[in-house]
Amino acid sequence: MNKSLSTFDILGLGFMTFAFFLGAGNIIFPPMTGFLAGEHLTSAMVGFLLTGVGLPLVTLVAAALAGGGLPVMGRYLPPVVVTVMATAIFIIIGPAFAAPRTGLVAYEMSLKPFLTNPDQSTLTLYTIGFFGLVLLLSLNQGRLLDAVGKVLTPILLLLLIGLALAVFISPQGTQPPVSEVYLTAPFVKGFIEGYNTMDTFAALIFGMFILDVLRDKGVTDGRAQSRYLMIAALIAAVGLGFVYVSLFILGGTSLGVADSATTGAEIISAYVLSLFGPAGLWILAAIVSLACLTTAVGLVSACADYFYRLTHKLSYRTWVVINALACMLVANVGLDTLITVSVPVLVTCYPVAVALVLATYLRPLMRAPVLAYRLIMSVALVFGILDGLHAVGLNMSLVSWLPLFDIGMAWVIPTAIATAIGLAMPASVRAVKCEG
């Protein structure tokens, strides 16, 4: 028998979804973008919000409409392609970028502000301790921190709300001058900066989990599941939007407070110190470090569980050790370097995720969905790779004539054309059937 959720349960589901996306690492990007955008803050912020909030929202809604996350949304693709996509997502949100970033954000905001001359050895010792603790906790699949995480997310949110109100009521600095990278196309630059949240990738995975939660609560009707997931996604989007906008304004009013900052973590720490003094900085350090720890345990546990189920050759505990060690090694490159290295990868992969979401929405209009999906995804991948190579800094003069190539968006028009062709394909071309 299908059950209905109470208003309280719906709000709880929405806040749970919000908590999934509100990683401590995500709060470092809006301040830095706001600081660099200067007078173009609004344009950059709108671009960032489209990818940082809008894309995860529409991805969760697409998952709701499809009745599941990545495996269901990708059902018209070869199974091996879906497996490769899932593996790539888990690597990106796991040992390659997101998980190591939690340790670096914790270091930048909980230890570095209190050091006189921090160096590489300090970072190395910190990451060994941080990911050593993550390793120990993840061996128990994060159960020890589950209750703590449920407490920390509301505390972190309250801290961010207090910081937001203080920023609006008593800004500590003035607007910085616009940096060169935001002079010509601030909207597009902000749009691409939003890739750093990696939340669209996460939404492809979270969609499955949230639907599982609804089934556990007795919601078995497909339409009811979709409706509740959409409401949860809207609640999460409103929460994320509020946090990001306030942090953008914080970064956009930090001239004179954090002039020499190179990361958003440094800007937030300097701003909190200016607003609340050393006591505020200590509170921020404690909450962010614990929030980063719970996020890291969740990511390492999820990745270890995925690779264990994928291979069945190594135990879950072995995968935990491999992931934790990989995170520790990657984290030692430093936050600046990690963000710089991640950009070309995200520029390459994000178009594929967007193409899958677009195809999911347009599926009812497709008469040959198998070929249409494969065409749209293939085109998005090829041109995403070109944008990624350009982001690396390679000489791409042979393809520089492509529309929007100079701003890292060469995939947009070809993917739109491929989508139009996919929609126009007649049913008679359904010769290719999706096996498995």
Side-chain angles (χ1 to χ4, degrees), residues 90-113:
F90 274 104
I91 290 174
I92 289 171
I93 67 174
F97 300 116
R101 192 174 70 192
T102 61
L104 287 169
V105 171
Y107 169 75
E108 292 276 346
M109 299 184 72
S110 66
L111 181 61
K112 191 175 179 180

mmCIF file with all atom_site columns, all heavy atoms in Angstrom, residues 90-113:
data_model
loop_
_atom_site.group_PDB
_atom_site.id
_atom_site.type_symbol
_atom_site.label_atom_id
_atom_site.label_alt_id
_atom_site.label_comp_id
_atom_site.label_asym_id
_atom_site.label_entity_id
_atom_site.label_seq_id
_atom_site.pdbx_PDB_ins_code
_atom_site.Cartn_x
_atom_site.Cartn_y
_atom_site.Cartn_z
_atom_site.occupancy
_atom_site.B_iso_or_equiv
_atom_site.pdbx_formal_charge
_atom_site.auth_seq_id
_atom_site.auth_comp_id
_atom_site.auth_asym_id
_atom_site.auth_atom_id
_atom_site.pdbx_PDB_model_num
ATOM 1   N N   . PHE A 1 90  ? 32.461 8.344  -9.660  1.00 0.00 ? 90  PHE A N   1
ATOM 2   C CA  . PHE A 1 90  ? 32.961 7.972  -8.334  1.00 0.00 ? 90  PHE A CA  1
ATOM 3   C C   . PHE A 1 90  ? 34.439 8.334  -8.165  1.00 0.00 ? 90  PHE A C   1
ATOM 4   O O   . PHE A 1 90  ? 34.875 8.683  -7.067  1.00 0.00 ? 90  PHE A O   1
ATOM 5   C CB  . PHE A 1 90  ? 32.737 6.486  -8.071  1.00 0.00 ? 90  PHE A CB  1
ATOM 6   C CG  . PHE A 1 90  ? 31.380 6.186  -7.507  1.00 0.00 ? 90  PHE A CG  1
ATOM 7   C CD1 . PHE A 1 90  ? 30.380 5.642  -8.300  1.00 0.00 ? 90  PHE A CD1 1
ATOM 8   C CD2 . PHE A 1 90  ? 31.091 6.462  -6.183  1.00 0.00 ? 90  PHE A CD2 1
ATOM 9   C CE1 . PHE A 1 90  ? 29.123 5.375  -7.783  1.00 0.00 ? 90  PHE A CE1 1
ATOM 10  C CE2 . PHE A 1 90  ? 29.836 6.202  -5.653  1.00 0.00 ? 90  PHE A CE2 1
ATOM 11  C CZ  . PHE A 1 90  ? 28.848 5.658  -6.448  1.00 0.00 ? 90  PHE A CZ  1
ATOM 12  N N   . ILE A 1 91  ? 35.203 8.268  -9.240  1.00 0.00 ? 91  ILE A N   1
ATOM 13  C CA  . ILE A 1 91  ? 36.604 8.682  -9.153  1.00 0.00 ? 91  ILE A CA  1
ATOM 14  C C   . ILE A 1 91  ? 36.700 10.189 -8.948  1.00 0.00 ? 91  ILE A C   1
ATOM 15  O O   . ILE A 1 91  ? 37.502 10.682 -8.138  1.00 0.00 ? 91  ILE A O   1
ATOM 16  C CB  . ILE A 1 91  ? 37.377 8.252  -10.423 1.00 0.00 ? 91  ILE A CB  1
ATOM 17  C CG1 . ILE A 1 91  ? 37.532 6.724  -10.447 1.00 0.00 ? 91  ILE A CG1 1
ATOM 18  C CG2 . ILE A 1 91  ? 38.755 8.913  -10.465 1.00 0.00 ? 91  ILE A CG2 1
ATOM 19  C CD1 . ILE A 1 91  ? 38.155 6.197  -11.722 1.00 0.00 ? 91  ILE A CD1 1
ATOM 20  N N   . ILE A 1 92  ? 35.856 10.954 -9.660  1.00 0.00 ? 92  ILE A N   1
ATOM 21  C CA  . ILE A 1 92  ? 35.879 12.416 -9.553  1.00 0.00 ? 92  ILE A CA  1
ATOM 22  C C   . ILE A 1 92  ? 35.440 12.883 -8.168  1.00 0.00 ? 92  ILE A C   1
ATOM 23  O O   . ILE A 1 92  ? 36.099 13.721 -7.541  1.00 0.00 ? 92  ILE A O   1
ATOM 24  C CB  . ILE A 1 92  ? 34.990 13.048 -10.647 1.00 0.00 ? 92  ILE A CB  1
ATOM 25  C CG1 . ILE A 1 92  ? 35.651 12.879 -12.019 1.00 0.00 ? 92  ILE A CG1 1
ATOM 26  C CG2 . ILE A 1 92  ? 34.754 14.538 -10.361 1.00 0.00 ? 92  ILE A CG2 1
ATOM 27  C CD1 . ILE A 1 92  ? 34.761 13.273 -13.176 1.00 0.00 ? 92  ILE A CD1 1
ATOM 28  N N   . ILE A 1 93  ? 34.314 12.327 -7.676  1.00 0.00 ? 93  ILE A N   1
ATOM 29  C CA  . ILE A 1 93  ? 33.845 12.763 -6.359  1.00 0.00 ? 93  ILE A CA  1
ATOM 30  C C   . ILE A 1 93  ? 34.562 12.028 -5.234  1.00 0.00 ? 93  ILE A C   1
ATOM 31  O O   . ILE A 1 93  ? 34.337 12.316 -4.055  1.00 0.00 ? 93  ILE A O   1
ATOM 32  C CB  . ILE A 1 93  ? 32.315 12.565 -6.211  1.00 0.00 ? 93  ILE A CB  1
ATOM 33  C CG1 . ILE A 1 93  ? 31.945 11.085 -6.196  1.00 0.00 ? 93  ILE A CG1 1
ATOM 34  C CG2 . ILE A 1 93  ? 31.568 13.310 -7.293  1.00 0.00 ? 93  ILE A CG2 1
ATOM 35  C CD1 . ILE A 1 93  ? 30.490 10.819 -5.909  1.00 0.00 ? 93  ILE A CD1 1
ATOM 36  N N   . GLY A 1 94  ? 35.413 11.084 -5.616  1.00 0.00 ? 94  GLY A N   1
ATOM 37  C CA  . GLY A 1 94  ? 36.172 10.334 -4.631  1.00 0.00 ? 94  GLY A CA  1
ATOM 38  C C   . GLY A 1 94  ? 37.634 10.720 -4.595  1.00 0.00 ? 94  GLY A C   1
ATOM 39  O O   . GLY A 1 94  ? 37.977 11.877 -4.329  1.00 0.00 ? 94  GLY A O   1
ATOM 40  N N   . PRO A 1 95  ? 38.536 9.779  -4.874  1.00 0.00 ? 95  PRO A N   1
ATOM 41  C CA  . PRO A 1 95  ? 39.971 10.020 -4.652  1.00 0.00 ? 95  PRO A CA  1
ATOM 42  C C   . PRO A 1 95  ? 40.624 11.044 -5.567  1.00 0.00 ? 95  PRO A C   1
ATOM 43  O O   . PRO A 1 95  ? 41.707 11.540 -5.244  1.00 0.00 ? 95  PRO A O   1
ATOM 44  C CB  . PRO A 1 95  ? 40.585 8.630  -4.870  1.00 0.00 ? 95  PRO A CB  1
ATOM 45  C CG  . PRO A 1 95  ? 39.609 7.900  -5.740  1.00 0.00 ? 95  PRO A CG  1
ATOM 46  C CD  . PRO A 1 95  ? 38.262 8.403  -5.335  1.00 0.00 ? 95  PRO A CD  1
ATOM 47  N N   . ALA A 1 96  ? 40.000 11.368 -6.710  1.00 0.00 ? 96  ALA A N   1
ATOM 48  C CA  . ALA A 1 96  ? 40.660 12.297 -7.629  1.00 0.00 ? 96  ALA A CA  1
ATOM 49  C C   . ALA A 1 96  ? 40.531 13.750 -7.209  1.00 0.00 ? 96  ALA A C   1
ATOM 50  O O   . ALA A 1 96  ? 41.501 14.518 -7.263  1.00 0.00 ? 96  ALA A O   1
ATOM 51  C CB  . ALA A 1 96  ? 40.107 12.114 -9.045  1.00 0.00 ? 96  ALA A CB  1
ATOM 52  N N   . PHE A 1 97  ? 39.329 14.168 -6.775  1.00 0.00 ? 97  PHE A N   1
ATOM 53  C CA  . PHE A 1 97  ? 39.134 15.598 -6.517  1.00 0.00 ? 97  PHE A CA  1
ATOM 54  C C   . PHE A 1 97  ? 38.356 15.908 -5.234  1.00 0.00 ? 97  PHE A C   1
ATOM 55  O O   . PHE A 1 97  ? 38.877 16.526 -4.319  1.00 0.00 ? 97  PHE A O   1
ATOM 56  C CB  . PHE A 1 97  ? 38.428 16.254 -7.714  1.00 0.00 ? 97  PHE A CB  1
ATOM 57  C CG  . PHE A 1 97  ? 39.188 16.138 -8.999  1.00 0.00 ? 97  PHE A CG  1
ATOM 58  C CD1 . PHE A 1 97  ? 38.679 15.428 -10.073 1.00 0.00 ? 97  PHE A CD1 1
ATOM 59  C CD2 . PHE A 1 97  ? 40.443 16.716 -9.124  1.00 0.00 ? 97  PHE A CD2 1
ATOM 60  C CE1 . PHE A 1 97  ? 39.390 15.307 -11.256 1.00 0.00 ? 97  PHE A CE1 1
ATOM 61  C CE2 . PHE A 1 97  ? 41.171 16.602 -10.301 1.00 0.00 ? 97  PHE A CE2 1
ATOM 62  C CZ  . PHE A 1 97  ? 40.640 15.896 -11.365 1.00 0.00 ? 97  PHE A CZ  1
ATOM 63  N N   . ALA A 1 98  ? 37.092 15.495 -5.173  1.00 0.00 ? 98  ALA A N   1
ATOM 64  C CA  . ALA A 1 98  ? 36.227 15.966 -4.083  1.00 0.00 ? 98  ALA A CA  1
ATOM 65  C C   . ALA A 1 98  ? 36.689 15.510 -2.706  1.00 0.00 ? 98  ALA A C   1
ATOM 66  O O   . ALA A 1 98  ? 36.708 16.302 -1.760  1.00 0.00 ? 98  ALA A O   1
ATOM 67  C CB  . ALA A 1 98  ? 34.788 15.518 -4.336  1.00 0.00 ? 98  ALA A CB  1
ATOM 68  N N   . ALA A 1 99  ? 37.028 14.233 -2.555  1.00 0.00 ? 99  ALA A N   1
ATOM 69  C CA  . ALA A 1 99  ? 37.443 13.747 -1.238  1.00 0.00 ? 99  ALA A CA  1
ATOM 70  C C   . ALA A 1 99  ? 38.759 14.377 -0.764  1.00 0.00 ? 99  ALA A C   1
ATOM 71  O O   . ALA A 1 99  ? 38.837 14.840 0.385   1.00 0.00 ? 99  ALA A O   1
ATOM 72  C CB  . ALA A 1 99  ? 37.527 12.224 -1.248  1.00 0.00 ? 99  ALA A CB  1
ATOM 73  N N   . PRO A 1 100 ? 39.811 14.433 -1.602  1.00 0.00 ? 100 PRO A N   1
ATOM 74  C CA  . PRO A 1 100 ? 41.023 15.135 -1.158  1.00 0.00 ? 100 PRO A CA  1
ATOM 75  C C   . PRO A 1 100 ? 40.763 16.603 -0.828  1.00 0.00 ? 100 PRO A C   1
ATOM 76  O O   . PRO A 1 100 ? 41.398 17.166 0.069   1.00 0.00 ? 100 PRO A O   1
ATOM 77  C CB  . PRO A 1 100 ? 41.975 15.000 -2.360  1.00 0.00 ? 100 PRO A CB  1
ATOM 78  C CG  . PRO A 1 100 ? 41.498 13.804 -3.091  1.00 0.00 ? 100 PRO A CG  1
ATOM 79  C CD  . PRO A 1 100 ? 40.008 13.783 -2.910  1.00 0.00 ? 100 PRO A CD  1
ATOM 80  N N   . ARG A 1 101 ? 39.824 17.210 -1.544  1.00 0.00 ? 101 ARG A N   1
ATOM 81  C CA  . ARG A 1 101 ? 39.511 18.622 -1.296  1.00 0.00 ? 101 ARG A CA  1
ATOM 82  C C   . ARG A 1 101 ? 38.971 18.844 0.110   1.00 0.00 ? 101 ARG A C   1
ATOM 83  O O   . ARG A 1 101 ? 39.202 19.902 0.709   1.00 0.00 ? 101 ARG A O   1
ATOM 84  C CB  . ARG A 1 101 ? 38.493 19.105 -2.341  1.00 0.00 ? 101 ARG A CB  1
ATOM 85  C CG  . ARG A 1 101 ? 38.288 20.602 -2.381  1.00 0.00 ? 101 ARG A CG  1
ATOM 86  C CD  . ARG A 1 101 ? 37.388 20.989 -3.527  1.00 0.00 ? 101 ARG A CD  1
ATOM 87  N NE  . ARG A 1 101 ? 36.005 20.572 -3.326  1.00 0.00 ? 101 ARG A NE  1
ATOM 88  C CZ  . ARG A 1 101 ? 35.074 20.580 -4.277  1.00 0.00 ? 101 ARG A CZ  1
ATOM 89  N NH1 . ARG A 1 101 ? 35.393 20.943 -5.502  1.00 0.00 ? 101 ARG A NH1 1
ATOM 90  N NH2 . ARG A 1 101 ? 33.832 20.205 -4.022  1.00 0.00 ? 101 ARG A NH2 1
ATOM 91  N N   . THR A 1 102 ? 38.252 17.856 0.653   1.00 0.00 ? 102 THR A N   1
ATOM 92  C CA  . THR A 1 102 ? 37.749 18.021 2.019   1.00 0.00 ? 102 THR A CA  1
ATOM 93  C C   . THR A 1 102 ? 38.900 18.188 3.001   1.00 0.00 ? 102 THR A C   1
ATOM 94  O O   . THR A 1 102 ? 38.839 19.013 3.914   1.00 0.00 ? 102 THR A O   1
ATOM 95  C CB  . THR A 1 102 ? 36.887 16.818 2.439   1.00 0.00 ? 102 THR A CB  1
ATOM 96  O OG1 . THR A 1 102 ? 37.676 15.621 2.407   1.00 0.00 ? 102 THR A OG1 1
ATOM 97  C CG2 . THR A 1 102 ? 35.691 16.655 1.529   1.00 0.00 ? 102 THR A CG2 1
ATOM 98  N N   . GLY A 1 103 ? 39.957 17.385 2.823   1.00 0.00 ? 103 GLY A N   1
ATOM 99  C CA  . GLY A 1 103 ? 41.114 17.507 3.703   1.00 0.00 ? 103 GLY A CA  1
ATOM 100 C C   . GLY A 1 103 ? 41.821 18.831 3.543   1.00 0.00 ? 103 GLY A C   1
ATOM 101 O O   . GLY A 1 103 ? 42.283 19.433 4.521   1.00 0.00 ? 103 GLY A O   1
ATOM 102 N N   . LEU A 1 104 ? 41.894 19.317 2.308   1.00 0.00 ? 104 LEU A N   1
ATOM 103 C CA  . LEU A 1 104 ? 42.568 20.592 2.052   1.00 0.00 ? 104 LEU A CA  1
ATOM 104 C C   . LEU A 1 104 ? 41.773 21.768 2.600   1.00 0.00 ? 104 LEU A C   1
ATOM 105 O O   . LEU A 1 104 ? 42.347 22.717 3.149   1.00 0.00 ? 104 LEU A O   1
ATOM 106 C CB  . LEU A 1 104 ? 42.789 20.758 0.549   1.00 0.00 ? 104 LEU A CB  1
ATOM 107 C CG  . LEU A 1 104 ? 43.892 19.867 -0.036  1.00 0.00 ? 104 LEU A CG  1
ATOM 108 C CD1 . LEU A 1 104 ? 43.865 19.905 -1.557  1.00 0.00 ? 104 LEU A CD1 1
ATOM 109 C CD2 . LEU A 1 104 ? 45.261 20.318 0.467   1.00 0.00 ? 104 LEU A CD2 1
ATOM 110 N N   . VAL A 1 105 ? 40.450 21.709 2.472   1.00 0.00 ? 105 VAL A N   1
ATOM 111 C CA  . VAL A 1 105 ? 39.625 22.787 3.033   1.00 0.00 ? 105 VAL A CA  1
ATOM 112 C C   . VAL A 1 105 ? 39.741 22.791 4.552   1.00 0.00 ? 105 VAL A C   1
ATOM 113 O O   . VAL A 1 105 ? 39.839 23.851 5.183   1.00 0.00 ? 105 VAL A O   1
ATOM 114 C CB  . VAL A 1 105 ? 38.154 22.622 2.591   1.00 0.00 ? 105 VAL A CB  1
ATOM 115 C CG1 . VAL A 1 105 ? 37.257 23.604 3.345   1.00 0.00 ? 105 VAL A CG1 1
ATOM 116 C CG2 . VAL A 1 105 ? 38.030 22.850 1.091   1.00 0.00 ? 105 VAL A CG2 1
ATOM 117 N N   . ALA A 1 106 ? 39.735 21.606 5.149   1.00 0.00 ? 106 ALA A N   1
ATOM 118 C CA  . ALA A 1 106 ? 39.899 21.519 6.605   1.00 0.00 ? 106 ALA A CA  1
ATOM 119 C C   . ALA A 1 106 ? 41.239 22.117 7.024   1.00 0.00 ? 106 ALA A C   1
ATOM 120 O O   . ALA A 1 106 ? 41.327 22.851 8.019   1.00 0.00 ? 106 ALA A O   1
ATOM 121 C CB  . ALA A 1 106 ? 39.793 20.067 7.052   1.00 0.00 ? 106 ALA A CB  1
ATOM 122 N N   . TYR A 1 107 ? 42.277 21.832 6.267   1.00 0.00 ? 107 TYR A N   1
ATOM 123 C CA  . TYR A 1 107 ? 43.610 22.377 6.576   1.00 0.00 ? 107 TYR A CA  1
ATOM 124 C C   . TYR A 1 107 ? 43.624 23.895 6.430   1.00 0.00 ? 107 TYR A C   1
ATOM 125 O O   . TYR A 1 107 ? 44.129 24.615 7.307   1.00 0.00 ? 107 TYR A O   1
ATOM 126 C CB  . TYR A 1 107 ? 44.641 21.748 5.638   1.00 0.00 ? 107 TYR A CB  1
ATOM 127 C CG  . TYR A 1 107 ? 46.009 22.406 5.681   1.00 0.00 ? 107 TYR A CG  1
ATOM 128 C CD1 . TYR A 1 107 ? 46.859 22.196 6.757   1.00 0.00 ? 107 TYR A CD1 1
ATOM 129 C CD2 . TYR A 1 107 ? 46.434 23.236 4.641   1.00 0.00 ? 107 TYR A CD2 1
ATOM 130 C CE1 . TYR A 1 107 ? 48.113 22.794 6.806   1.00 0.00 ? 107 TYR A CE1 1
ATOM 131 C CE2 . TYR A 1 107 ? 47.677 23.839 4.680   1.00 0.00 ? 107 TYR A CE2 1
ATOM 132 C CZ  . TYR A 1 107 ? 48.513 23.615 5.759   1.00 0.00 ? 107 TYR A CZ  1
ATOM 133 O OH  . TYR A 1 107 ? 49.748 24.225 5.802   1.00 0.00 ? 107 TYR A OH  1
ATOM 134 N N   . GLU A 1 108 ? 43.039 24.382 5.332   1.00 0.00 ? 108 GLU A N   1
ATOM 135 C CA  . GLU A 1 108 ? 43.058 25.816 5.045   1.00 0.00 ? 108 GLU A CA  1
ATOM 136 C C   . GLU A 1 108 ? 42.266 26.615 6.073   1.00 0.00 ? 108 GLU A C   1
ATOM 137 O O   . GLU A 1 108 ? 42.605 27.772 6.360   1.00 0.00 ? 108 GLU A O   1
ATOM 138 C CB  . GLU A 1 108 ? 42.484 26.081 3.646   1.00 0.00 ? 108 GLU A CB  1
ATOM 139 C CG  . GLU A 1 108 ? 43.332 25.571 2.499   1.00 0.00 ? 108 GLU A CG  1
ATOM 140 C CD  . GLU A 1 108 ? 44.421 26.537 2.097   1.00 0.00 ? 108 GLU A CD  1
ATOM 141 O OE1 . GLU A 1 108 ? 44.361 27.708 2.518   1.00 0.00 ? 108 GLU A OE1 1
ATOM 142 O OE2 . GLU A 1 108 ? 45.344 26.122 1.370   1.00 0.00 ? 108 GLU A OE2 1
ATOM 143 N N   . MET A 1 109 ? 41.213 26.008 6.648   1.00 0.00 ? 109 MET A N   1
ATOM 144 C CA  . MET A 1 109 ? 40.326 26.772 7.517   1.00 0.00 ? 109 MET A CA  1
ATOM 145 C C   . MET A 1 109 ? 40.444 26.418 9.000   1.00 0.00 ? 109 MET A C   1
ATOM 146 O O   . MET A 1 109 ? 39.976 27.176 9.851   1.00 0.00 ? 109 MET A O   1
ATOM 147 C CB  . MET A 1 109 ? 38.873 26.582 7.062   1.00 0.00 ? 109 MET A CB  1
ATOM 148 C CG  . MET A 1 109 ? 38.625 27.072 5.654   1.00 0.00 ? 109 MET A CG  1
ATOM 149 S SD  . MET A 1 109 ? 36.901 26.964 5.110   1.00 0.00 ? 109 MET A SD  1
ATOM 150 C CE  . MET A 1 109 ? 36.151 28.267 6.060   1.00 0.00 ? 109 MET A CE  1
ATOM 151 N N   . SER A 1 110 ? 41.077 25.281 9.311   1.00 0.00 ? 110 SER A N   1
ATOM 152 C CA  . SER A 1 110 ? 41.149 24.891 10.717  1.00 0.00 ? 110 SER A CA  1
ATOM 153 C C   . SER A 1 110 ? 42.551 24.927 11.295  1.00 0.00 ? 110 SER A C   1
ATOM 154 O O   . SER A 1 110 ? 42.715 24.945 12.520  1.00 0.00 ? 110 SER A O   1
ATOM 155 C CB  . SER A 1 110 ? 40.573 23.478 10.902  1.00 0.00 ? 110 SER A CB  1
ATOM 156 O OG  . SER A 1 110 ? 41.374 22.509 10.256  1.00 0.00 ? 110 SER A OG  1
ATOM 157 N N   . LEU A 1 111 ? 43.565 24.930 10.449  1.00 0.00 ? 111 LEU A N   1
ATOM 158 C CA  . LEU A 1 111 ? 44.939 24.932 10.961  1.00 0.00 ? 111 LEU A CA  1
ATOM 159 C C   . LEU A 1 111 ? 45.782 26.080 10.405  1.00 0.00 ? 111 LEU A C   1
ATOM 160 O O   . LEU A 1 111 ? 46.436 26.809 11.163  1.00 0.00 ? 111 LEU A O   1
ATOM 161 C CB  . LEU A 1 111 ? 45.622 23.593 10.639  1.00 0.00 ? 111 LEU A CB  1
ATOM 162 C CG  . LEU A 1 111 ? 47.070 23.447 11.144  1.00 0.00 ? 111 LEU A CG  1
ATOM 163 C CD1 . LEU A 1 111 ? 47.116 23.558 12.664  1.00 0.00 ? 111 LEU A CD1 1
ATOM 164 C CD2 . LEU A 1 111 ? 47.677 22.133 10.673  1.00 0.00 ? 111 LEU A CD2 1
ATOM 165 N N   . LYS A 1 112 ? 45.745 26.260 9.091   1.00 0.00 ? 112 LYS A N   1
ATOM 166 C CA  . LYS A 1 112 ? 46.612 27.245 8.445   1.00 0.00 ? 112 LYS A CA  1
ATOM 167 C C   . LYS A 1 112 ? 46.456 28.660 8.993   1.00 0.00 ? 112 LYS A C   1
ATOM 168 O O   . LYS A 1 112 ? 47.464 29.374 9.154   1.00 0.00 ? 112 LYS A O   1
ATOM 169 C CB  . LYS A 1 112 ? 46.367 27.235 6.922   1.00 0.00 ? 112 LYS A CB  1
ATOM 170 C CG  . LYS A 1 112 ? 47.403 28.022 6.134   1.00 0.00 ? 112 LYS A CG  1
ATOM 171 C CD  . LYS A 1 112 ? 47.163 27.858 4.638   1.00 0.00 ? 112 LYS A CD  1
ATOM 172 C CE  . LYS A 1 112 ? 48.176 28.672 3.844   1.00 0.00 ? 112 LYS A CE  1
ATOM 173 N NZ  . LYS A 1 112 ? 47.949 28.523 2.380   1.00 0.00 ? 112 LYS A NZ  1
ATOM 174 N N   . PRO A 1 113 ? 45.219 29.134 9.319   1.00 0.00 ? 113 PRO A N   1
ATOM 175 C CA  . PRO A 1 113 ? 45.094 30.497 9.839   1.00 0.00 ? 113 PRO A CA  1
ATOM 176 C C   . PRO A 1 113 ? 45.824 30.731 11.157  1.00 0.00 ? 113 PRO A C   1
ATOM 177 O O   . PRO A 1 113 ? 46.111 31.875 11.519  1.00 0.00 ? 113 PRO A O   1
ATOM 178 C CB  . PRO A 1 113 ? 43.569 30.656 10.041  1.00 0.00 ? 113 PRO A CB  1
ATOM 179 C CG  . PRO A 1 113 ? 42.959 29.678 9.109   1.00 0.00 ? 113 PRO A CG  1
ATOM 180 C CD  . PRO A 1 113 ? 43.890 28.514 9.097   1.00 0.00 ? 113 PRO A CD  1
#
